[in-house]
């Protein structure tokens, strides 16, 4: 089965889409057409021309100076301001950059223009078996422009891609005497454009960036949405470390979307068997049942029946389980909750038993006994460790689910 691929705009968040592409290649999923807006158009063109290694190199070495003509350190200070960083900013460089922005009536994007000329091979895109389309908005004509490569004039692909990415904060430029604006102001996730090709099976990668999304009539369509499971940074935050993190997230999220990995927050290569877990529940002694009821503040007789009919559903609700979830699903949600609390790295593949061991090691680390003279994070951790939810999760993992 071949798919149409739709890539949303989102600036620096776009590195996530390269991770999606990595997973699709690994899964052997064929792409017959790709449409994109803004950075989605850039990644879409790279996909059409088959430049995977070049795309990874681009995003893992990216910095703001490859996109905008501003000082990296100054831009980082302005993008992520904090009181501690303000004295470190070079006032002369800051004043100079601000002066240039004012003179140019916006941010100078000459590095972006050069970048497009370096990484985009128009002839490869035109000759590709993967059809390519993009979205922009013509301010001059006061209308959106949704177009595929065959309708883009020869030698103008880079101009159209620049038009698709043009934000109001950029210094104004003319393209063939016309002014354009970022396609996200019309359709930041151009599914409708790819539907015009008669494609029914679609993978849409939404970066949750600011922008408009047109309504899609999903009748007779098979649309698989892939979206970030965590923070992908800011739109103008072009940072190689953030990009590496996003690529890994996009890769793992895609494998999970296509059921090659399990889990909700973390990524599991395996999954506990619900039938294996039932004997553990049946072996619970009266003391443990009483402890669970005390933790939940349940004023019911601590019987096994009340455990199954009242206590466990209440626990499941605390950890976000649905009616369709079973005991194994509850265990996974408890594991993920505790792993997150103990700051266990998320963006990797785990066996759930191995993650349980990592959690137990984290639990055994000594904790501050007082709130005094500790950092804000320590205070936050202490509040979590003393919470009812944490105590319940820790108790259940320790007493109910002991695997060899």
């Amino acid at each position: 089965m071949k798919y149409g691929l739709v890539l949303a705009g989102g600036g620096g968040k776009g590195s996530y889409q390269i991770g999606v592409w990595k997973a699709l290649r690994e899964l052997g999923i064929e792409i017959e057409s790709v449409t994109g807006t803004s950075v989605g158009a850039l990644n879409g063109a790279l996909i059409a021309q088959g430049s995977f290694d070049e795309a990874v190199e681009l995003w893992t070495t990216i910095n703001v100076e490859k996109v905008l003509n501003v000082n990296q350190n100054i831009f980082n200070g302005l993008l992520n301001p904090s009181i501690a960083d303000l004295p470190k900013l070079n006032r002369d460089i800051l004043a100079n950059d601000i002066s240039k922005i004012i003179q140019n009536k916006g941010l100078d994007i000459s590095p972006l223009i050069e970048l497009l000329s370096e990484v985009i091979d128009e002839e490869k895109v035109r000759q590709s078996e993967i059809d390519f389309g993009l979205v922009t908005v013509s301010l001059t004509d006061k209308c959106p422009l949704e177009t595929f490569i065959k309708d883009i004039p020869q030698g103008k692909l880079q101009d159209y891609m620049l038009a698709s990415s043009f934000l109001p904060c950029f210094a104004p430029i003319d393209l063939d005497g016309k002014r354009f604006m970022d396609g996200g102001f019309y359709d930041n996730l151009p599914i409708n454009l790819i539907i015009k090709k008669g494609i029914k099976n679609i993978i849409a990668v939404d970066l949750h960036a600011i922008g408009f999304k047109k309504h899609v009539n999903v009748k007779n369509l098979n649309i698989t949405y892939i979206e970030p499971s965590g923070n992908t940074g800011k739109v103008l935050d072009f940072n190689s470390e953030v990009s590496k993190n996003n690529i890994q997230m996009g890769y793992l999220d895609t494998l999970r979307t296509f059921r090659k990995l399990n889990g909700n927050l973390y990524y599991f290569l395996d999954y506990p068997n619900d039938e294996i877990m039932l004997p553990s529940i049946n072996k619970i002694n009266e003391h443990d049942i009483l402890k669970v009821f005390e933790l939940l503040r349940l004023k019911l007789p601590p019987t096994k029946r009340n455990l199954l009919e009242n206590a466990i559903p209440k626990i499941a609700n605390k950890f976000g389980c649905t009616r369709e979830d079973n005991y194994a699903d509850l265990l996974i949600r408890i594991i993920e909750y505790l792993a997150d609390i103990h700051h266990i790295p998320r963006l990797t593949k785990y066996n759930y038993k191995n993650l349980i061991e990592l959690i137990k090691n984290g639990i055994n680390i000594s904790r501050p006994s007082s709130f005094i003279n500790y950092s804000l994070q320590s205070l936050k951790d202490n509040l979590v460790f003393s919470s009812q939810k944490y105590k319940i999760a820790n108790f259940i993992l320790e007493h109910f689910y002991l695997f060899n």
Side-chain angles (χ1 to χ4, degrees):
M1 180 188 298
K2 291 187 177 182
Y3 284 84
L5 179 63
V6 181
L7 304 176
K13 297 172 178 286
S15 48
Y16 178 87
Q17 295 169 345
I18 304 305
V20 174
W21 186 17
K22 177 183 177 182
L24 296 179
R25 285 161 52 93
E26 186 175 300
L27 293 168
I29 292 176
E30 289 188 67
I31 304 300
E32 60 177 313
S33 182
V34 58
T35 59
T37 296
S38 194
V39 74
L42 167 62
N43 289 330
L46 290 169
I47 290 172
Q49 66 188 45
S51 301
F52 177 74
D53 292 337
E54 292 82 355
V56 172
E57 173 69 16
L58 165 65
W59 281 107
T60 55
T61 61
I62 196 75
N63 61 56
V64 70
E65 292 176 351
K66 292 185 177 181
V67 181
L68 304 172
N69 186 17
V70 295
N71 179 274
Q72 176 78 59
N73 293 328
I74 295 297
F75 190 79
N76 288 344
L78 294 175
L79 191 65
N80 304 292
S82 70
I83 295 175
D85 291 335
L86 290 176
K88 300 176 185 178
L89 298 179
N90 187 309
R91 294 182 180 179
D92 291 337
I93 298 177
L94 176 60
N96 184 56
D97 277 359
I98 292 176
S99 177
K100 286 192 297 184
I101 292 171
I102 294 173
Q103 290 176 6
N104 294 329
K105 298 181 181 179
L107 293 166
D108 180 3
I109 59 170
S110 54
L112 174 60
I113 297 172
E114 183 177 349
L115 179 66
L116 289 175
S117 67
E118 291 175 357
V119 301
I120 300 302
D121 187 325
E122 181 170 335
E123 286 310 306
K124 282 187 177 180
V125 177
R126 291 187 180 280
Q127 296 170 15
S128 174
E129 294 181 359
I130 300 175
D131 200 6
F132 169 70
L134 58 77
V135 178
T136 184
V137 176
S138 173
L139 292 175
T140 303
D141 298 326
K142 299 180 181 179
C143 67
L145 179 61
E146 302 173 282
T147 185
F148 280 90
I149 186 66
K150 68 179 182 61
D151 296 317
I152 295 176
Q154 187 72 37
K156 295 294 183 179
L157 174 59
Q158 291 174 27
D159 288 348
Y160 274 67
M161 292 177 63
L162 185 63
S164 181
S165 307
F166 203 87
L167 293 172
C169 61
F170 294 163
I173 57 174
D174 287 341
L175 301 174
D176 290 338
K178 294 185 178 183
R179 297 279 298 282
F180 291 87
M181 185 168 61
D182 191 292
F185 286 93
Y186 176 72
D187 192 355
N188 204 42
L189 188 64
I191 296 174
N192 287 315
L193 177 58
I194 212 164
I195 292 174
K196 293 178 181 179
K197 287 289 181 178
I199 294 173
K200 304 295 184 182
N201 298 305
I202 298 167
I203 298 169
V205 186
D206 191 353
L207 298 175
H208 294 305
I210 295 174
F212 296 98
K213 286 182 282 190
K214 305 297 288 185
H215 172 74
V216 177
N217 184 354
V218 298
K219 186 177 181 180
N220 299 322
L221 297 177
N222 171 31
I223 303 179
T224 300
Y225 287 92
I226 299 174
E227 51 194 25
S229 58
N231 183 15
T232 52
K234 300 177 181 179
V235 170
L236 290 178
D237 192 3
F238 295 95
N239 180 295
S240 60
E241 291 306 312
V242 172
S243 291
K244 291 173 186 177
N245 185 79
N246 288 347
I247 290 171
Q248 180 69 355
M249 192 193 310
Y251 169 70
L252 293 172
D253 284 349
T254 303
L255 292 181
R256 187 165 60 189
T257 298
F258 284 92
R259 303 186 183 281
K260 299 301 180 182
L261 294 173
N262 297 299
N264 304 287
L265 181 63
Y266 283 74
Y267 307 88
F268 297 97
L269 292 161
D270 56 353
Y271 210 75
N273 189 323
D274 198 46
E275 294 179 2
I276 294 175
M277 296 172 59
L278 285 173
S280 297
I281 295 174
N282 291 329
K283 291 179 182 178
I284 297 171
N285 59 45
E286 292 180 3
H287 178 269
D288 285 343
I289 293 176
L290 179 59
K291 181 65 175 177
V292 171
F293 277 53
E294 288 175 350
L295 287 170
L296 290 171
R297 302 185 185 94
L298 274 180
K299 296 180 179 180
L300 293 170
T303 63
K304 190 166 291 186
R305 179 171 180 175
N306 279 335
L307 173 73
L308 295 172
E309 294 182 359
N310 296 283
I312 290 180
K314 188 170 182 178
I315 293 169
N317 184 62
K318 281 183 177 294
F319 290 93
C321 292
T322 66
R323 291 185 177 182
E324 290 74 29
D325 288 338
N326 54 30
Y327 294 123
D329 298 318
L330 173 58
L331 173 60
I332 286 297
R333 288 184 181 272
I334 288 173
I335 292 171
E336 292 180 323
Y337 166 77
L338 289 171
D340 187 41
I341 291 299
H342 288 282
H343 310 295
I344 295 174
R346 189 175 76 87
L347 298 179
T348 189
K349 300 174 185 177
Y350 289 101
N351 293 107
Y352 73 89
K353 292 183 182 180
N354 293 339
L355 191 51
I356 288 175
E357 291 304 314
L358 290 174
I359 292 168
K360 289 180 178 179
N361 291 336
I363 290 172
N364 291 332
I365 296 173
S366 61
R367 301 295 172 191
S369 58
S370 170
F371 290 173
I372 301 173
N373 295 327
Y374 288 104
S375 67
L376 183 60
Q377 184 60 49
S378 294
L379 175 60
K380 182 179 178 181
D381 287 345
N382 269 297
L383 292 173
V384 170
F385 298 143
S386 62
S387 70
Q388 180 196 50
K389 185 174 182 179
Y390 178 79
K391 289 177 179 178
I392 291 170
N394 189 17
F395 183 84
I396 289 175
L397 195 66
E398 190 66 31
H399 293 274
F400 292 180
Y401 304 118
L402 301 177
F403 301 99
N404 296 320

